[in-house]
Amino acid sequence: MSGEVVGTEPWMPARLRAVPWLVEPVPAARLAALRIAVGLTLLGDVLVTYVPHMRDLYGRGSLGGRAIFPEWSPPARATWSLFAGVASPGAFQAIAWIWALAALLLALGVASRVSAAVAWAIAVSLLHLNPAAHYAGDMVCIILLSILMLSPCGAAWSVDALVKKRGPGVRVPPWPLRLVMLQMALIYFGNGLHKITFEHGRAGDWLRGEAVYAVIANLNWARFPYPSQPMPFFATELLTWVVFAFELGFPIWMLVRWTRTPALLVGASFHLGLLVFMQLGFFPPFMLCLYVPLVPWERVETFFRSRVIRAAPRGHQEG
């Protein structure tokens, strides 16, 4: 049915329900784009990062033992894992392929919420088995999967939507996308607060304007040696303070209408730069997933649909 609203609206106090931004349905295409982006990014992460190294990271004789990295082990009461009793390296190899399959099905929109839940459960289980093998990108992925598995993420652009014969213009409650926006604000603002902490009685590298230079000159992180891509020190200072101001002030930039779009463009450009110039695994792609729902995908959908209608034979259009 065209124009239908798919999904459950959560209970809200009357004051919050009076805010259109929190209650007015949004095009399902935006949530679908997020689902596809997360699914494809996770699929790439699993195939590139995990499948080739599962035997080294998990199971008998691997580096996943907490005796090896005890400082990375969280309190036992705070952890759980579906694979706590698994020791076979071959079993973990199979788990990685199941994870990849769940990511692919999520991107295609096959049993979308179930696929997201399976991918989430595997991600959390592996994180708790070997925290030393994980990084910030995994945490962003887990958060996005938790939102997708609770939301009508298969309402559009999915096999699920084809099976249910949903037409164009489907909408969904706004809460999943609002949670994504809130998560983005918390990530940036939290990073900004961390950067203003004082270490050993003096301000950190970010306040001194030295952080970006220290990062791009570090061959453990930089994809290209600094001498091959020299950047004047004053430029690295300026970039350091721009990143710092962007992160710490992100909630404000989002609240002010005329700074919203420039701030989002700066953030997306920043993560694209990290993807090209830094060796940070799949952290930049997962962060870019946060920006995907902000694109007006419903306009893209309308454009391509109109092109298809114009290209169809006249008799077919009339039929």
Side-chain angles (χ1 to χ4, degrees), residues 90-131:
F92 278 104
Q93 199 71 48
I95 289 168
W97 286 112
I98 294 173
W99 199 12
L101 177 61
L104 176 61
L105 294 179
L106 177 63
L108 295 175
V110 179
S112 303
R113 294 178 63 181
V114 175
S115 299
V118 171
W120 174 86
I122 294 176
V124 174
S125 296
L126 293 180
L127 169 64
H128 289 168
L129 280 183
N130 187 359

Side-chain angles (χ1 to χ4, degrees), residues 68-85:
I68 299 178
F69 297 108
E71 68 277 9
W72 288 96
S73 301
R77 64 179 181 275
T79 64
W80 61 269
S81 175
L82 297 175
F83 318 124

Side-chain angles (χ1 to χ4, degrees), residues 192-212 214 237 240-241 244:
L193 284 180
H194 179 72
K195 289 176 174 57
I196 63 175
T197 57
F198 285 74
E199 300 177 1
H200 307 296
R202 59 177 185 171
D205 291 344
W206 287 95
L207 290 179
R208 294 195 301 271
E210 301 172 0
V212 169
E237 284 185 307
T240 298
W241 290 320
F244 176 57

